[in-house]
Amino acid sequence: MKVILITGASSGIGYEAAQRLARRGCKVYAAARRVELMEPLRKEGIVPMRLDVCDEESMQQCVDTILQAEGRIDVLINNAGYGYFGAVENVSDAEARRQLEVNVFGLAALCRLVIPIMRKQGSGRIVNTSSIAGLVTFPFGGWYHVSKYSVEALSDALRMELRPFGIRVSMIEPGGIRTDWGIIAADHLEVSSKGTPYEAVALQEADLMHKGYSGHFLTKPTAVARAIERAALSHRPRTRYRLGRFSTLAVWTHRLLPARWWDTLMLRFIRIKFK
């Protein structure tokens, strides 16, 4: 029975992934700041735990508690994260740092805590939730893209460093997924742009995000939860699991087009006039 720690499990993708892994016979520790939202998971044998990925003591206590109860940690799934959208000029240093703390430094800190455990075991699995936002860039997502590009780089380095110890590292790279993430990011974009020179065009992009994430066109979170399950339990996991409507098309278009063409395409998509 594999012992699994998954962060960001209070809703959406993390919540569903925890359920799927528990139904596969794993002992799952579901971690997030809002423990009360995870209480229904107890009926499936899942253990909810309070965890703040910006708090070193909280992370250490979480890992120590699992070790005391199970004696091992087989899989770490770094799923916690959020997006704060706004023009680079408008996002405060404090908000930019917080986004990096949650999406990058918290992820790295948890890896540092579990790697010695997995190395001692001679095996382990780390699954990091990245995004196609770590491979392509859109207007008003600058700091979110910085965080996800960082997750891509860290995961690639970890994969090579840890392979000799029997520890596998995989990335989940979702595109547009039908969750509240996009609604929250759009709300942040509206707030950060209010009263600024970017307000009109930012509101257009926020409106597109609201419509997209409120409709039925985007991929369901179940698809991402399945990818996490495969990355955690497959005998030979892939290094990357890319999914979501048009995600592969977006990545390859970004790679093949000259930078100016990509810029023009993105600006026209959100109806920004340019000189």
Side-chain angles (χ1 to χ4, degrees):
M1 179 178 69
K2 289 190 180 294
V3 177
I4 297 177
L5 168 60
I6 178 170
T7 68
S10 60
S11 63
I13 293 165
Y15 192 98
E16 187 166 343
Q19 290 177 308
R20 296 185 70 89
L21 291 164
R23 291 165 189 168
R24 289 285 301 272
C26 301
K27 182 65 177 182
V28 179
Y29 287 81
R33 287 183 302 164
R34 300 180 64 183
V35 181
E36 69 279 3
L37 297 179
M38 300 182 289
E39 284 302 318
L41 293 173
R42 288 190 185 276
K43 64 186 179 184
E44 300 193 51
I46 298 168
V47 181
M49 301 191 72
R50 187 187 181 282
L51 174 68
D52 183 348
V53 296
C54 295
D55 184 337
E56 235 177 275
E57 185 178 344
S58 172
M59 289 187 279
Q60 184 69 65
Q61 186 176 9
C62 177
V63 170
D64 288 346
T65 299
I66 297 172
L67 275 182
Q68 289 169 9
E70 309 293 341
R72 64 188 296 114
I73 297 176
D74 297 298
V75 183
L76 167 64
I77 301 169
N78 283 305
N79 180 65
Y82 84 112
Y84 190 96
F85 272 45
V88 173
E89 180 184 356
N90 294 339
V91 177
S92 69
D93 286 348
E95 187 55 58
R97 288 191 182 99
R98 173 165 172 75
Q99 189 150 218
L100 293 176
E101 284 289 340
V102 174
N103 293 358
V104 183
F105 292 111
L107 176 151
L110 268 176
C111 288
R112 282 196 299 271
L113 288 174
V114 304
I115 286 169
I117 298 165
M118 292 178 175
R119 183 165 52 237
K120 187 177 180 180
Q121 295 167 180
S123 66
R125 195 75 57 88
I126 295 174
V127 181
N128 293 331
T129 300
S130 180
S131 168
I132 66 162
L135 301 166
V136 302
T137 307
F138 305 104
F140 301 114
W143 282 108
Y144 181 70
H145 289 290
V146 167
S147 73
K148 291 303 182 181
Y149 270 75
S150 297
V151 171
E152 291 282 323
L154 280 172
S155 299
D156 282 339
L158 280 170
R159 187 178 63 253
M160 292 182 282
E161 293 165 1
L162 300 179
R163 184 66 183 272
F165 303 110
I167 303 170
R168 302 291 187 92
V169 178
S170 296
M171 275 180 282
I172 309 298
E173 296 175 334
I177 307 298
R178 197 192 314 162
T179 67
D180 289 339
W181 178 92
I183 304 298
I184 296 168
D187 291 342
H188 286 157
L189 177 55
E190 291 178 355
V191 171
S192 69
S193 304
K194 189 174 182 180
T196 76
Y198 303 95
E199 182 173 11
V201 290
L203 290 178
Q204 288 177 183
E205 181 169 335
D207 183 58
L208 286 172
M209 292 172 71
H210 274 293
K211 289 176 179 175
Y213 283 92
S214 300
H216 298 283
F217 181 73
L218 297 181
T219 302
K220 294 181 180 178
T222 301
V224 188
R226 282 199 301 264
I228 291 174
E229 178 187 2
R230 291 195 295 270
L233 302 181
S234 296
H235 179 63
R236 295 186 65 183
R238 289 157 49 185
T239 57
R240 284 173 164 81
Y241 293 81
R242 189 175 301 150
L243 62 157
R245 289 185 188 273
F246 304 117
S247 57
T248 298
L249 177 62
V251 171
W252 279 104
T253 303
H254 184 264
R255 286 178 180 172
L256 295 173
L257 285 182
R260 288 181 181 177
W261 291 19
W262 174 265
D263 294 350
T264 300
L265 181 65
M266 290 300 98
L267 291 171
R268 285 182 173 167
F269 177 70
I270 59 175
R271 304 186 185 97
I272 295 179
K273 294 181 180 179
F274 52 93
K275 295 180 181 179

